[in-house]
Amino acid sequence: TQLSLLTTCCEILLSLLFPMKWAHAYIPVLPHFLVPILSAPMPFLCGIEKRYLSDTMADLADECIVVDLDKNQVSLGVKTPPLPTLPKYVYNRLRSNVETNAGHVYREARSLRKDDDTSEMGVHLPAEVKFIADSMWESRLSLFDEAFMLTFTPEERRKNLLNGDDGSGVNTNGNDPNEVVRIMTLSEKQNLRSQSTWDAVQEAFLETYCFLLQKYRKFLVFPSKANEGSYGGAGFRSQEFLASQRADVRAFLEEMVGSQMFDDFV
């Protein structure tokens, strides 16, 4: 229901793909008259206003994944192909890092405590607690445009830097020689420069990619006359790379190395 929330969440999702990049259609706020493109046989990441969702469903391909930001719900299409699962030790570490750094967002927006069971859209919460939590969330959606208060996303930090705020504590705006410049204390600077919540979430995903792709450089093919006929001058020996991996990660990596994003990455 919030346009800025659509854009912010799409940008954060793209940032979690680093060091790879989304290589397909990307429209964070899709105009209503362009909704028919959602039936196109291609990957896309698009944001849609909630009021147009019912009209949109008829145009969605059967493989589409729909994320309802208002209800914190993910719905798979009837023909969405199942993704290979990550090994438990990789998945558990990633989930633990994300929960540690961003798990409070969902709870704080609904005035829930840390020990409240928020799984499965809060169905395990006591009825009165769930009623209050849902009411708090709806009130935030109706009163605030940026419901998650994502002040420290990478994009916001970039904007602050362009506006002259480098986080040093020194006010560089204005040319008045008599202007009083306030210098932050060392502890204030350290707190300001500390890693933000959203940087830590991005780092958790980057750590996972680094673990999964740690040997990929050995299988790169660089341009040379010797391999020009086999690889077109450059490429990646994907089959050899997959064969060198542990059996429990091979299925997931097979999907990853077959993507356009990975091709662009190597």
Side-chain angles (χ1 to χ4, degrees):
T1 56
Q2 308 296 310
L3 294 181
S4 64
L5 185 58
L6 283 175
T7 303
T8 300
C9 289
C10 286
E11 285 294 308
I12 288 179
L13 181 59
L14 294 187
S15 74
L16 298 182
L17 297 176
F18 182 82
M20 288 172 278
K21 296 180 179 179
W22 181 252
H24 306 284
Y26 173 55
I27 310 175
V29 181
L30 184 69
H32 187 237
F33 70 90
L34 290 179
V35 163
I37 74 168
L38 298 180
S39 59
M42 64 179 184
F44 53 77
L45 174 60
C46 298
I48 304 170
E49 285 190 76
K50 190 68 172 286
R51 57 178 172 164
Y52 299 140
L53 182 59
S54 58
D55 298 334
T56 303
M57 297 304 292
D59 291 295
L60 286 180
D62 293 335
E63 300 86 2
C64 281
I65 300 173
V66 178
V67 180
D68 190 331
L69 297 176
D70 291 354
K71 295 183 178 180
N72 199 48
Q73 182 179 11
V74 179
S75 302
L76 303 182
V78 294
K79 293 184 180 180
T80 302
L83 286 175
T85 57
L86 283 170
K88 283 189 176 180
Y89 62 92
V90 178
Y91 170 78
N92 289 338
R93 179 171 177 80
L94 175 60
R95 179 169 180 170
S96 176
N97 288 336
V98 173
E99 174 66 24
T100 299
N101 293 288
H104 65 283
V105 173
Y106 180 90
R107 292 188 293 269
E108 288 181 359
R110 294 162 175 79
S111 298
L112 292 170
R113 298 173 299 181
K114 189 173 183 179
D115 56 349
D116 287 329
D117 186 357
T118 59
S119 61
E120 300 181 31
M121 297 181 63
V123 297
H124 303 296
L125 293 171
E128 64 277 8
V129 175
K130 188 175 188 309
F131 175 79
I132 294 175
D134 291 343
S135 298
M136 288 293 297
W137 177 239
E138 290 177 5
S139 66
R140 283 177 177 269
L141 283 178
S142 62
L143 295 175
F144 299 101
D145 194 34
E146 294 193 4
F148 282 107
M149 305 299 181
L150 301 181
T151 308
F152 298 104
T153 60
E155 182 62 26
E156 287 299 318
R157 177 166 291 186
R158 194 176 301 117
K159 288 179 182 177
N160 292 338
L161 183 62
L162 291 174
N163 289 332
D165 180 8
D166 64 351
S168 65
V170 179
N171 182 8
T172 58
N173 295 325
N175 299 317
D176 186 357
N178 298 320
E179 180 182 5
V180 177
V181 179
R182 178 182 179 275
I183 305 298
M184 285 188 174
T185 64
L186 178 61
S187 61
E188 287 176 327
K189 288 183 180 181
Q190 290 174 341
N191 289 335
L192 202 63
R193 291 180 179 275
S194 62
Q195 186 182 45
S196 76
T197 293
W198 301 106
D199 286 341
V201 171
Q202 186 182 35
E203 186 178 286
F205 279 83
L206 178 59
E207 179 186 87
T208 302
Y209 296 137
C210 289
F211 175 80
L212 294 172
L213 301 173
Q214 55 185 310
K215 300 178 182 179
Y216 87 96
R217 287 181 179 272
K218 296 180 180 179
F219 303 93
L220 291 172
V221 178
F222 296 97
S224 71
K225 291 185 177 180
N227 60 37
E228 187 173 355
S230 300
Y231 295 96
F236 183 72
R237 300 194 301 271
S238 57
Q239 294 305 315
E240 295 176 35
F241 170 73
L242 294 172
S244 70
Q245 302 301 312
R246 292 170 48 122
D248 56 355
V249 300
R250 199 170 295 153
F252 184 88
L253 286 174
E254 186 174 3
E255 291 287 339
M256 178 181 285
V257 300
S259 67
Q260 182 65 50
M261 290 190 301
F262 186 81
D263 283 347
D264 292 344
F265 171 65
V266 297

